[in-house]
């Protein structure tokens, strides 16, 4: 019987010229990747690995953050019932920000978490990228609506934290809970979300799905090749 091998997904290359861009359509690929156990998410998620083993030392975590061109201080995570972080989505935003997408285990709905340098207040609430049709204070954050998407945004530690989702897929209550839970990652959470370090020969220790060197890119392999701006690119 002829055996058919599974084709490997194309990896987009990140160029320095387009480092501030994010390919939003690629997020549609995250749901099947996260739900089919591709090995990107670690067992013992959020607990520093399988069996509750201690996380790596701070120096290694900082090196892993630098490998994806961000800083550990800019890595934020959250907790949402029924969702898990897709580790293959974790990476840099703009110069040294951070982004990660959470995928619903049953249903594939997506919630994106973006962290970047910047501020947000009443005067800039509607003009921060992406420009909002409406913006209203809700507790300690701002609730913004832009077309088919909505988000909660706040600032702390000189950073702007934006948690967004499709309005038809994720309710405002769920989005608010995700935004309220967003916090700076501790060492165990850093170990869970940051790509694995490279092993001998530059091959990641997880078999090649993550790790360094990181290939950055925002140009799709289909269509007209036009990139799209992420939240914060113009703010």
């Amino acid at each position: 019987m002829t055996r058919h091998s599974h084709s490997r997904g194309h990896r987009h290359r990140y160029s320095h010229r387009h480092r501030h861009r994010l390919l939003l359509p690629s997020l549609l690929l995250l749901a099947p990747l996260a739900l089919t156990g591709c090995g990107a998410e670690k067992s013992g998620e959020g607990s520093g690995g399988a069996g509750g083993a201690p996380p790596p030392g701070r120096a290694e975590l900082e090196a892993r953050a630098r490998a994806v061109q961000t800083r550990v201080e800019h890595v934020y995570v959250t907790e949402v019932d029924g969702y898990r972080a897709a580790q293959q989505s974790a990476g840099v935003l703009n110069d040294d920000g951070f982004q990660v997408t959470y995928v619903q285990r049953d249903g594939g709905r997506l919630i994106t978490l973006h962290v970047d340098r910047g501020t947000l207040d009443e005067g800039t609430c509607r003009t921060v990228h992406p420009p909002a049709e409406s913006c209203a204070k809700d507790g300690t954050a701002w609730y913004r609506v832009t077309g088919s998407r909505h988000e909660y945004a706040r600032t702390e530690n000189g950073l702007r934290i934006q948690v967004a989702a499709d309005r038809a897929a994720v309710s405002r209550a769920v989005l608010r809970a995700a935004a309220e839970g967003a916090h700076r990652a501790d060492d165990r959470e850093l170990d869970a979300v940051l790509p694995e370090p490279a092993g001998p020969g530059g091959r990641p220790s997880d078999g090649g799905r993550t790790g360094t060197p990181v290939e950055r890119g925002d140009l799709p392999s289909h269509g007209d090749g036009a990139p799209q701006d992420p939240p914060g690119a113009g703010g």
Side-chain angles (χ1 to χ4, degrees):
M1 180 181 296
T2 302
R3 299 181 62 185
H4 297 278
S5 61
H6 293 286
S7 61
R8 302 183 63 181
H10 295 292
R11 301 179 66 187
H12 302 302
R13 294 191 174 275
Y14 286 74
S15 65
H16 177 77
R17 183 169 61 90
H18 293 111
R19 64 184 303 171
H20 64 291
R21 304 288 192 174
L22 168 67
L23 177 61
L24 295 180
S26 66
L27 295 179
L28 300 177
L29 303 176
L30 295 177
L33 287 173
L35 299 175
T36 54
C38 67
E41 294 81 11
K42 302 177 185 178
S43 59
E45 179 181 1
S47 61
R58 191 70 174 182
E60 178 181 321
L61 295 172
E62 290 175 348
R64 285 164 62 178
R66 287 194 301 271
V68 292
Q69 301 179 43
T70 187
R71 304 163 57 93
V72 292
E73 295 85 1
H74 295 176
V75 178
Y76 274 61
V77 295
T78 189
E79 294 182 5
V80 190
D81 287 342
Y83 287 75
R84 69 187 305 172
Q87 193 187 49
Q88 67 270 29
S89 72
V92 69
L93 175 68
N94 295 327
D95 289 334
D96 60 358
F98 181 75
Q99 59 187 343
V100 64
T101 297
Y102 287 79
V103 183
Q104 187 185 39
R105 290 183 177 89
D106 298 318
R109 294 179 175 89
L110 307 176
I111 296 176
T112 58
L113 169 60
H114 293 96
V115 181
D116 200 13
R117 298 178 187 270
T119 59
L120 182 72
D121 55 31
E122 185 175 6
T124 60
C125 187
R126 295 186 63 175
T127 58
V128 164
H129 192 86
E133 299 169 5
S134 64
C135 181
K137 194 69 180 291
D138 187 348
T140 60
W142 297 89
Y143 177 68
R144 310 172 71 239
V145 175
T146 303
S148 63
R149 294 180 66 78
H150 60 164
E151 73 171 31
Y152 274 92
R154 73 175 193 268
T155 57
E156 65 180 41
N157 302 315
L159 302 171
R160 185 168 57 241
I161 298 96
Q162 295 171 264
V163 181
D166 186 276
R167 293 170 63 191
V170 179
S171 70
R172 179 171 176 175
V174 170
L175 189 66
R176 182 192 300 114
E180 290 175 347
H183 61 278
R184 180 173 285 171
D186 61 24
D187 286 358
R188 293 183 182 274
E189 292 164 331
L190 288 168
D191 183 37
V193 75
L194 287 173
E196 295 281 355
R203 186 174 181 79
S205 59
D206 66 356
R209 298 180 188 86
T210 60
T212 57
V214 173
E215 294 184 355
R216 303 182 57 171
D218 65 332
L219 301 179
S221 58
H222 58 278
D224 62 5
Q228 298 188 32
D229 287 324

